[in-house]
Amino acid sequence: MATAEPIYQLATPVKVYDNIRTVEAQLRNCKIESLPERYVWPAEAVENPKPVNDEAVAKEEAQNLSIPVVDLAEIDGASEEVRGKIARAMGKACEEWGFFQVINTGIPTTVMDDVNKSAREFFALPVEQMEKATEPPGKPLMGYGGRLSFLSSKVPWVEYLGEFHTPEPGVEALAKNVWEDGNPKFCKAITDYCNSLEQLGLLILELLAESLNLPKDTYSQHFDKNSNYLGSWRFNYYTPCPKATQTVGQGPHSDPDALTILRQDQVAGLQVRKGNTWVTVEPLPGAFVVNVGDFLQAWSNDRFPSVEHRAFVNEKTDRLSIVYFMSPPPMLNIEAPSGLIGENQQSVFRTFTYAEYLGIMFKNRVTGDFSKKALDFMRRGTEAAN
């Protein structure tokens, strides 16, 4: 659908599984009694480990944890002092959490409302019509996904719709496959939203560079319209699951991009790992959740960690999140700026490209390995990096 070529090709699935809506209906109508095994996750992925031995203390600690909130209300026309204060707050959040919520972004409410309506309009369609947006098997996580047939185990309970926004927007081609008229209103809502998130992302990347005492365009220069950076959007729709305690909407993982900006609805479900516990990201009206991706971790010379996170599903209530991913150009060499490397020292990670990293990551994930092995593989001192 989009003209952007996939960086990594997945093999054609050997077996095509039922759509998740079919599975949900079978469970509710008692046509099947148990959740199909491919959706069942191990206990450690579903449960919340206690940070200490004393359960009461553990509960209290978890309740007192919340990810930082960064307010951008004063950023427009801010003095150097005010801008520096915001940059330092954002940098501190990334160093300590790898996540933060950002409020007062200036993005119009209408832009957020329109894309939310468009997402729900799509997921209200009959399965047969939604599946007209299915991409070829070799293009992972683009188009519509309700079967995830490339996974045989550790399958998340989620449907998605996604496409590239840059370098070549794919939404119009996608929409023409779903609606006869191409649904211009749907396309405009997504385009306006992505354009707004792109500008927000550029600002965040500038502020993060400044927090590290680097030139503000250190990272952002690689994400303008002429750089061929990979910007993509995705709707994640978590339909209610009758066996919600046995599965997850997203298993524990870190994101493979540079920066992720997510808008969640008012149903909580996103959790972030902090030490040995999981902290729920409470929805804030008008807020966006921002997290560091694996690439920015390497790019910051390990200063900003890309932190594991997961999503839960609900037995009775659906949940929607709308995500914008900012990934560097596929062949850009990623190496830490010299300003982050001590005298007579080397960077923590060897130089590598996004394409190289994704190849390793996808090979791991199709086997059910969602760990950070792909990024760790790029660390100096590993066999491949010597």
Side-chain angles (χ1 to χ4, degrees), residues 230-271:
L230 299 178
S232 60
W233 57 271
R234 188 187 305 158
F235 301 154
N236 287 327
Y237 181 71
Y238 305 94
T239 190
C241 178
K243 304 289 184 180
T245 58
Q246 299 177 26
T247 190
V248 294
Q250 299 283 348
H253 69 285
S254 61
D255 289 346
D257 57 354
L259 198 70
T260 301
I261 308 175
L262 176 147
R263 176 170 167 77
Q264 58 179 342
D265 63 15
Q266 294 306 299
V267 179
L270 175 64
Q271 291 190 321

Side-chain angles (χ1 to χ4, degrees), residues 169-182:
V171 64
E172 290 187 2
L174 180 151
K176 286 178 181 177
N177 281 322
V178 179
W179 295 279
E180 287 188 7
D181 66 352

Side-chain angles (χ1 to χ4, degrees), residues 45-284:
V46 178
E47 297 172 352
N48 193 356
K50 303 297 187 295
V52 293
N53 292 329
D54 188 311
E55 186 171 345
V57 174
K59 183 177 181 181
E60 182 180 355
E61 288 190 4
Q63 289 176 340
N64 291 333
L65 288 173
S66 60
I67 73 167
V69 177
V70 177
D71 192 341
L72 294 181
E74 299 182 327
I75 195 65
D76 287 341
S79 65
E80 184 176 338
E81 179 182 0
V82 171
R83 185 179 174 99
K85 182 179 178 180
I86 296 172
R88 288 190 295 274
M90 193 175 287
K92 185 174 186 288
C94 286
E95 288 194 31
E96 295 181 355
W97 283 83
F99 267 81
F100 60 92
Q101 295 204 70
V102 62
I103 59 174
N104 295 317
T105 61
I107 297 175
T109 302
T110 54
V111 170
M112 295 187 279
D113 289 346
D114 287 349
V115 76
N116 183 74
K117 291 176 184 176
S118 295
R120 290 198 170 273
E121 174 190 1
F122 177 83
F123 290 112
L125 295 173
V127 169
E128 295 77 12
Q129 190 170 353
M130 289 193 294
E131 290 196 327
K132 291 180 179 179
T134 303
E135 289 279 14
K139 193 176 179 185
L141 302 180
M142 292 295 175
Y144 169 72
R147 300 174 186 264
L148 296 177
S149 293
F150 58 87
L151 293 173
S152 60
S153 64
K154 292 186 178 179
V155 179
W157 187 266
V158 65
E159 294 171 85
Y160 63 81
L161 181 74
E163 255 302 347
F164 286 109
H165 176 61
T166 63
E168 295 290 341
V171 64
E172 290 187 2
L174 180 151
K176 286 178 181 177
N177 281 322
V178 179
W179 295 279
E180 287 188 7
D181 66 352
N183 201 337
K185 189 175 180 180
F186 177 89
C187 296
K188 183 178 186 306
I190 292 176
T191 300
D192 289 348
Y193 184 80
C194 289
N195 286 338
S196 296
L197 269 289
E198 181 180 61
Q199 292 306 306
L200 175 61
L202 289 172
L203 172 61
I204 290 171
L205 288 170
E206 287 183 357
L207 290 169
L208 289 177
E210 291 173 43
S211 77
L212 296 171
N213 295 316
L214 299 171
K216 73 176 186 178
D217 67 345
T218 299
Y219 303 129
S220 62
Q221 65 179 309
H222 301 290
F223 294 87
D224 63 27
K225 293 291 186 182
N226 299 318
S227 70
N228 287 323
Y229 93 91
L230 299 178
S232 60
W233 57 271
R234 188 187 305 158
F235 301 154
N236 287 327
Y237 181 71
Y238 305 94
T239 190
C241 178
K243 304 289 184 180
T245 58
Q246 299 177 26
T247 190
V248 294
Q250 299 283 348
H253 69 285
S254 61
D255 289 346
D257 57 354
L259 198 70
T260 301
I261 308 175
L262 176 147
R263 176 170 167 77
Q264 58 179 342
D265 63 15
Q266 294 306 299
V267 179
L270 175 64
Q271 291 190 321
V272 175
R273 186 186 287 279
K274 180 65 171 174
N276 195 39
T277 194
W278 290 96
V279 179
T280 298
V281 181
E282 297 296 341
L284 297 177

